[in-house]
Amino acid sequence: MSFDVDVTVRRGGRDLHVAFAAGGGVTILFGPSGAGKTSTLDMIAGLLRPAAGHVRVAERTLFDHAAGIDLPPERRRAGYVFQDARLFPHRRVRANLLYGARSDARLAEVAATLDIAPLLGRWPRSLSGGEARRVAIGRALLADPDFLLLDEPLSSLDADRREEATRAIERVRDAAGLPILLVTHDAAEADRLGDRVVRVG
Amino acid sequence: MSFDVDVTVRRGGRDLHVAFAAGGGVTILFGPSGAGKTSTLDMIAGLLRPAAGHVRVAERTLFDHAAGIDLPPERRRAGYVFQDARLFPHRRVRANLLYGARSDARLAEVAATLDIAPLLGRWPRSLSGGEARRVAIGRALLADPDFLLLDEPLSSLDADRREEATRAIERVRDAAGLPILLVTHDAAEADRLGDRVVRVG
Amino acid sequence: MEDVAGIVRLSLLVGLVATAAALPVAFALAWVLARWRFPGKVLLDGLVHLPLVVPPVVTGWLLLIAFAPEGPLGSIGDRVLFRWTGAAIAAAVMALPLMVRAMRLSIEGVDRRLEQAARTLGASRWRAYATVTLPLALPGVLAGAMLGFARSLGEFGATITFVSNVPGETQTLPLAIYAALQRPGGEALVWRLAAVSVALSLAALVASEALARRAGRGVHVL
Amino acid sequence: MEDVAGIVRLSLLVGLVATAAALPVAFALAWVLARWRFPGKVLLDGLVHLPLVVPPVVTGWLLLIAFAPEGPLGSIGDRVLFRWTGAAIAAAVMALPLMVRAMRLSIEGVDRRLEQAARTLGASRWRAYATVTLPLALPGVLAGAMLGFARSLGEFGATITFVSNVPGETQTLPLAIYAALQRPGGEALVWRLAAVSVALSLAALVASEALARRAGRGVHVL
Amino acid sequence: RRGPLVLAAASMQEALTDAADAWRAQGHARPVLSYAASSALARQVMAGARADLFVSADAEWMDAVAAKGLIVAGTRATLARNRLVVVGRVGGPRLGTLRGAALARVLAAGPLAMADPDSVPAGRYGRAALTRLGAWEAVAPRVVRAENVRAALALVERGAAPYGVVYATDARAARGVAIAGYFPATSHVPIVYPVARLSASDEAEGFRRFLLSTRGQAILARRGFARR
Ligand SMILES: Nc1ncnc2c1ncn2[C@@H]1O[C@H](COP(=O)(O)OP(=O)(O)OP(=O)(O)O)[C@@H](O)[C@H]1O
Ligand SMILES: Nc1ncnc2c1ncn2[C@@H]1O[C@H](COP(=O)(O)OP(=O)(O)OP(=O)(O)O)[C@@H](O)[C@H]1O
Ligand SMILES: [Mg+2]
Ligand SMILES: [Mg+2]
């Protein structure tokens, strides 16, 4: 199992319960706005503590309420592309990209794939919406993650950029064989990338 | 002419020039990431000052470099849905929605259309991405604008919500006859809503 | 002489009036310093910081010169010299730099894009300021008010130099404490008065923390 | 007696050492107060504010008691009493509340979701703190350092009570100004010394503004 | 070489600075002089801070230090005396030998600046004198208590108060202020500045003796102090 998730959390007055188990490749998390997709990713990444349940990714237990296991986020090794970009405003694009990287060996390659090479010297605040999004994708990819959590990573990208970013994600999926959990509202995107779909809400 | 725009601005070391004239209904602003779509909306809304050119909306001159006209944003009466939600974090959803409204007469109707009625008492920070986006749309609609500037308003919405929001926009277009400028990367959305497409970049 | 209740009442009066009077001035200064660019800004900034750097005695002395009969503000000197109003002026002047700094820090931290959003929704510059910037800077305003009040409660040097130590008029807690310290064996009274000072400021602190918590419920949104 | 250069050197030494020593303490306190919840937090907060509320003379006296041979810190009393080190201690204690407030305000303003982003990228709690929270709180740290330094330059009451007014050891600018004020006809020297104080703090202000501008280039991103 | 550390009342600043210069001119190390309020200095001594000589502005603080056994036996002596005066603005009326109701009427016409009569020595002497002259009760409500004599003098200098009660030594050098009248020596206990040695330092003892010598006394007299 790539993802073996069974979590409960209380959000805004009601209980959110999400449970699924999925094999390798790309798993699509699909569901209406407010269903709890982002909350689920947060729980897998270790940013939100479930009230009960467990989170296992690639046979590694990241959280287990019963067993008292709760790895801190930095030891979970998730490559998380947030729904908002969350770039570090005090670091230039280059430093943002390299924040979680062991070395800058793959910087040029990733920057070229995502078409952000000309932006390396810029401050995040001067980026357009789509540019910031691509930098956020690059930052997650460069951190050598064990798995990817992508929260609508392709929204606000035009068709060409979307195609390139999609290919970058496919390459990660195929080459490194990383488990990927992807949130999207776009059926075409889900069809093309997803190996299976999990419905939330 | 609904929109008569001819503006130049310097952004990140290069000059951005956008010029178009469009009749009533919905005009789609289409172009790759970083092309200058958001910058264009900012210039029309009065948040970014063009180096030269003019902005006329529904025969009203909002900006004219040569004539020295530059209306402040509050007198341009734009209903601007930003690419990021930009909700006021210190006001609950209800107060956010009513910020620009003359009265709360239409609050219930708009909230119902956008499916945000249950959220009225919430703080913005507790909203999901799609929820925040819908509140932002509602806030712009309730301000009684003379025209709408929509920067990817439907991204991060699921199909149902997207449908409802689309219908709300169509209703505004048809009933009040407001000129609308819409940025989207989604061809289907452009096809359905747009009366014409302007390419940027 | 040891009318502790009277001294406390006077200290509170002076502290509250000083804080209330300095608040709008401090806020205007903080705004100008945070959001405007103009030549001589550093000078204004320096002027605001002055009471912090110059020994309080000198500040008190300058106030005395200003309000003395022949000074530039001599015409209202009678309503100020040796009066609690003068003590409040001294406290306000000494508290001002602390208030400005805290407020300025918060104003600089407010996301200007939120002000822009307010403008597109029809708010004038001033309404946007009052309904967005100001409430979002509230933690700093509260911190500034708290700092200012605490500083006012502790103000000594400028006050005694400017308006002297008149029991019932200008003898606030620090002045009473100082007087007690001057007497061999005055320690017991010093402790009592100091304990009262501390209790007052703790109460103010708790109140301001509670307010700040209420005010800070929002902040940071997508 | 009027060795102005020597007085300035000493004041700078005392002010810089006091600020440098108080900085990490203030930052740790600010962090604890901004980010932790624990019983007795208000008490710690009150304790930090104490030197602001209690008259400086009392603070100086408490320091004197603490460092006196029979006091709790008596063992190092000899290295502190009547020495510049003691003046630095007094200045640091008096500056602490101002520094903590400014820093706390800035730390509270840092978006915690950015810290979370850092954690998912493999940063430990401490690394996230050092590489994200701290630099984003830098405006407050700088403002705090600036306030602390200015306050140190102006510190008088606690210093003279604690370590007396020893030329060349503890006679900083404010104490020299006090001495000059005590002499009939000493006004000319008072003006000169006050002008030097003001010039020093203006220079510090300009430096801190420049630093803050450099540090604040980012901030507020989508 | 550092000289002995002398803690001295702020009001003796100029006189003792002159004396220290003269002492150095004789080939000795110049004493290090720390001027502050007598109360602050006495507390420092009583806390155990190490100094060599203490000059207090009144007997009470010296008594307090002595009671703690911190004075070297046999070294306490009266260093100088002072007089109490009423000051007014230059060109103002002379008070002559006013006493009782007449004095009260003049002084109570406006704020009367003096050092705190409850705590600062000069203020205590002033209250005693005014009481003896039968004017205290009437003027007490108009008294403004300054931090020290110099601050009281500044209030008169600036016109904030028409009259002030200060030491003759302070009144002498002030600009814009003139002595309006002297208090009779019998109206208060003698104003004395006691000196005492606190350590075994020979240099301190030398300086102490120098201060008490004819030479030293002459230097103090030049600054307006009466001889002991
Ligand atoms: N801090 C919070 N406090 C209270 N309720 C919250 C909080 N955060 C999220 N919620 C609520 O929890 C629910 C799930 O939110 P979540 O962000 O996981 O939704 P989502 O599926 O990602 O939606 P979207 O597609 O709109 O991003 C929503 O109803 C949201 O309002
Ligand atoms: N403050 C700024 N300083 C410098 N360059 C900027 C600034 N803001 C935007 N830019 C640049 O201007 C260009 C246009 O940006 P804009 O936000 O208008 O693009 P956009 O068409 O909206 O893109 P997207 O679809 O990605 O949102 C981009 O290349 C961007 O990097
Ligand atoms: Mg979401
Ligand atoms: Mg854009």
Side-chain angles (χ1 to χ4, degrees), chain E residues 1-42:
Chain E
R1 191 163 55 103
R2 248 178 95 109
L5 178 58
V6 180
L7 305 181
S11 49
M12 297 234 41
Q13 189 179 181
E14 295 165 289
L16 286 182
T17 301
D18 291 351
D21 290 340
W23 176 244
R24 187 184 42 194
Q26 294 188 2
H28 303 281
R30 191 182 187 281
V32 177
L33 289 151
S34 174
Y35 301 108
S38 300
S39 57
L41 298 170

Side-chain angles (χ1 to χ4, degrees), chain D residues 117-212:
Chain D
R119 299 290 297 280
T120 67
L121 289 163
S124 67
R125 200 182 157 108
W126 298 109
R127 186 172 165 231
Y129 192 66
T131 56
V132 177
T133 320
L134 201 146
L136 285 174
L138 210 58
V141 175
L142 283 173
M146 172 66 215
L147 274 177
F149 182 67
R151 181 69 184 78
S152 295
L153 278 189
E155 165 46 32
F156 166 69
T159 308
I160 198 168
T161 312
F162 177 29
V163 290
S164 209
N165 183 359
V166 182
E169 272 292 340
T170 69
Q171 193 180 59
T172 54
L173 277 162
L175 276 72
I177 291 177
Y178 168 81
L181 267 176
Q182 294 292 311
R183 280 202 301 279
E187 283 83 359
L189 183 58
V190 169
W191 288 127
R192 249 171 75 209
L193 294 171
V196 172
S197 296
V198 171
L200 282 184
S201 64
L202 263 183
L205 205 65
V206 171
S208 85
E209 295 283 341
L211 273 175

Side-chain angles (χ1 to χ4, degrees), chain A residues 10-14 16 31-40 42 83 151-152 183 185 200, chain B residues 119 122 125-132 134 156-158:
Chain A
R10 201 160 181 79
R11 295 240 89 168
R14 63 204 164 86
L16 181 70
S33 172
K37 303 179 294 297
T38 300
S39 303
T40 303
D42 280 354
Q83 195 164 8
D151 202 347
E152 302 187 49
V183 174
H185 292 299
V200 184
Chain B
L119 305 177
R122 294 264 288 269
R125 65 171 307 167
S126 79
L127 299 179
S128 80
E131 288 165 349
R134 282 175 281 150
S156 75
L157 291 188
D158 59 281

Side-chain angles (χ1 to χ4, degrees), chain A residues 45 47 72-74 77-80 82 84-92 99-100 123-125 128-129 132 139-140 143, chain D residues 113-125 127-129 131-133 135-136 214-222:
Chain A
L47 302 180
E74 67 269 24
R77 308 199 50 75
Y80 192 169
F82 299 94
D84 50 335
R86 286 195 213 181
L87 300 182
F88 303 124
H90 59 297
R91 300 184 157 227
R92 290 177 196 265
Y99 186 86
W123 292 104
R125 65 172 306 169
S128 79
R139 184 175 67 174
Chain D
R113 291 173 312 175
L114 292 173
E115 292 167 27
Q116 292 188 335
R119 299 290 297 280
T120 67
L121 289 163
S124 67
R125 200 182 157 108
R127 186 172 165 231
Y129 192 66
T131 56
V132 177
T133 320
L136 285 174
R214 282 205 51 193
R217 274 171 310 187
V219 184
H220 296 319
V221 73
L222 174 75

